[in-house]
Amino acid sequence: MQDHQPLGALRREFSDWRIWMSRALVVTAAVLAGLVVVAFTWLTEHAMALFSRAFAQAWWEPLLLTPLCAVAIVWLTRRFAPNAAGSGIPQVMAALEVPTDSPVRGKLVSIKLSAIKLLLTSWGGLAGLSLGREGPSVQIAAGVMAAVGRFLPRKSVMGEHGLLVAGGAAGIAAAFNTPLGGVMFAIEELSRSPEKRSSGLLISGIVLAGLVSVSIQGNVTYFGVIHVASLGWDALLPGLLVAVLAGVAGGLFSRLLIASLSGRSSDVFSRLRARCPLLFAGLCGLAVAGIGVVTSGMTFGSGYTHTRTMLEGGASTPAIYVLLKFVATWLTSWSGVPGGIFAPSLAIGAALGNDVAQLLQFPHLSMLIALGMAGFLAAATQAPLTSFIIVMEMVDGHAMVLSLMACALVASGISRLISRPLYGTLAQGYLARLEPVRPAQSEPDRATGSA
């Protein structure tokens, strides 16, 4: 009997059409999600490049364009898709908390929201707002994958919950060209206890979406390659200082976003945002434009170009850039436009590492910049493993694995002393707002926006 067991398992594997139907649908959805995110990447990058060219020709143009676009984007968002505001990661996390048959899920993740998110986030890039596309990619890809859920056969090997996890993580994998980062994001943020029977298929979908991105955009790293020489004990103090500063700054950033977006603050600006959201969005856009003009355009957009230039040693970055990029990103998120914080967080962290290197005259500049990127992103999101893997893949910094991991863990630990988890707190706010009748969700933070 023992000899026939493998044959019987093989026969069952190939005789159940539901297994193969599920696999085919997940693979198809992963490919589609990857293609959509690649198209989104192309659109946002060209939009930001177009803004940069316009700013180079007329420095005053953002003072008119940015606030007007912010008002228009917020009006369209509130009118047609309120839950497309902000990053999109809290929306996907909230959707994973509700039953599959709940109407709330369709309000948080859908093809309609994906399309609106794609267009409005790209418009925000065209306006020069300080936002990223990686968080929105999570909601966009999850919407694509969720649309496939209705075609899954009953008793499928993967349910709609697994599709949302795979979609959200596929968005990270395709947006960053980092398949490993996408897998870790699924485990650390979206699905802390994935179903064993579908984990292999789930990971396959995430990796496939990342491979679609790589096959189209090329197997390139966004920030080049960091060449790290042999490091001694002289790197311990600078690295630890970067980790501590990144943890404090990222924790304050997370706490500030939660306070601003929860709708529970009673300060004059929060009251203005609640009563006159379009006016508030215009004022935020004007402030972002003013900061960008003062910094000669360095704080506009996601910060990718400036970060890469810093890593290559070709940027002269003033020490105040950290604060100004911090404020510009906060104001962009507070305004209510669709857009994420991943890329701006990397830019803030890179500048922080650059400042420490300049202060201490540390020779390995690129090392501290990479540590700052991992540290600040880990502190802002409180997802240290995802953060260090993303940075490692984005800079091809495999020689810095232990350093990046240690920095991310220290920074995230410090952030937890300052702030609650950003995405988890905002996700609970979405549930409280959309499902007020649920007793467990009657009192938590009621987020009206997203980071």
Side-chain angles (χ1 to χ4, degrees):
M1 292 296 293
Q2 296 295 329
D3 295 336
H4 295 289
Q5 285 182 356
L7 184 61
L10 188 64
R11 187 181 300 111
R12 288 193 301 272
E13 175 79 7
F14 283 94
S15 63
D16 192 344
W17 65 272
R18 289 187 294 266
I19 294 177
W20 293 98
M21 181 69 171
S22 299
R23 290 172 178 170
L25 286 172
V26 171
V27 167
T28 301
V31 172
L32 289 175
L35 290 173
V36 170
V37 172
V38 168
F40 177 49
T41 299
W42 180 89
L43 188 60
T44 52
E45 288 183 349
H46 279 72
M48 291 179 182
L50 184 60
F51 172 84
S52 297
R53 288 196 295 270
F55 175 67
Q57 295 175 0
W59 66 267
W60 47 267
E61 187 174 10
L63 298 175
L64 298 176
L65 177 69
T66 304
L68 290 176
C69 287
V71 170
I73 293 170
V74 170
W75 181 83
L76 289 170
T77 302
R78 294 175 62 87
R79 177 67 176 81
F80 297 103
N83 293 320
S87 165
I89 294 176
Q91 292 92 315
V92 175
M93 293 176 68
L96 289 168
E97 295 293 326
V98 301
T100 56
D101 58 348
S102 172
V104 171
R105 176 168 287 189
K107 297 178 181 179
L108 295 167
V109 177
S110 68
I111 284 291
K112 174 188 173 182
L113 283 174
S114 295
I116 293 175
K117 190 89 167 187
L118 187 152
L119 295 174
L120 294 185
T121 303
S122 301
W123 191 358
L126 183 63
L129 293 167
S130 181
L131 51 80
R133 53 176 169 76
E134 295 76 21
S137 295
V138 171
Q139 191 177 18
I140 290 170
V144 174
M145 295 287 276
V148 179
R150 68 188 66 179
F151 301 108
L152 286 175
R154 296 184 63 185
K155 299 181 180 180
S156 169
V157 68
M158 179 180 286
E160 292 185 24
H161 183 279
L163 281 174
L164 281 183
V165 173
I172 289 290
F176 277 122
N177 256 15
T178 55
L180 288 179
V183 173
M184 185 53 64
F185 180 74
I187 297 172
E188 191 174 32
E189 282 292 305
L190 299 182
S191 181
R192 303 181 188 277
S193 56
E195 298 180 27
K196 293 181 180 180
R197 68 191 186 105
S198 63
S199 59
L201 184 57
L202 186 151
I203 293 174
S204 298
I206 298 168
V207 173
L208 183 58
L211 291 177
V212 169
S213 174
V214 170
S215 66
I216 296 175
Q217 302 183 84
N219 190 18
V220 296
T221 54
Y222 275 96
F223 297 128
V225 180
I226 292 182
H227 300 285
V228 181
S230 298
L231 299 176
W233 288 103
D234 60 324
L236 179 61
L237 178 60
L240 183 60
L241 181 58
V242 169
V244 172
L245 292 177
V248 173
L252 292 174
F253 184 65
S254 174
R255 187 182 182 97
L256 186 60
L257 285 175
I258 291 173
S260 303
L261 300 173
S262 66
R264 301 177 67 176
S265 300
S266 58
D267 60 274
V268 62
F269 297 108
S270 296
R271 292 197 300 270
L272 177 63
R273 182 178 188 259
R275 295 173 183 173
C276 307
L278 300 184
L279 174 61
F280 184 80
L283 292 175
C284 287
L286 182 60
V288 171
I291 293 172
V293 169
V294 168
T295 58
S296 300
M298 285 192 295
T299 59
F300 285 130
S302 63
Y304 271 133
T305 303
H306 187 71
T307 302
R308 182 170 189 131
T309 306
M310 269 194 292
L311 275 169
E312 294 173 349
S316 177
T317 305
I320 199 173
Y321 173 83
V322 172
L323 177 61
L324 295 179
K325 185 64 175 175
F326 183 108
V327 173
T329 305
W330 165 50
L331 291 176
T332 297
S333 297
W334 201 8
S335 70
V337 303
I341 64 165
F342 265 61
S345 293
L346 291 173
I348 295 168
L352 192 151
N354 179 75
D355 289 347
V356 172
Q358 299 295 339
L359 177 66
L360 301 181
Q361 296 297 304
F362 188 69
H364 303 293
L365 177 66
S366 59
M367 171 196 166
L368 292 190
I369 290 176
L371 291 178
M373 292 164 65
F376 189 88
L377 182 61
T381 63
Q382 292 187 15
L385 299 182
T386 300
S387 300
F388 101 79
I389 288 177
I390 285 175
V391 173
M392 180 190 70
E393 290 189 279
M394 291 181 77
V395 301
D396 196 14
H398 294 82
M400 294 183 59
V401 170
L402 294 179
S403 300
L404 290 170
M405 183 187 299
C407 183
L409 289 173
V410 170
S412 179
I414 293 174
S415 174
R416 291 176 189 275
L417 301 176
I418 300 173
S419 172
R420 291 167 292 169
L422 174 63
Y423 293 134
T425 302
L426 294 178
Q428 291 301 314
Y430 273 104
L431 292 176
R433 179 165 56 86
L434 294 174
E435 289 194 309
V437 297
R438 294 196 340 173
Q441 302 295 335
S442 58
E443 288 299 326
D445 308 305
R446 299 178 180 273
T448 57
S450 171

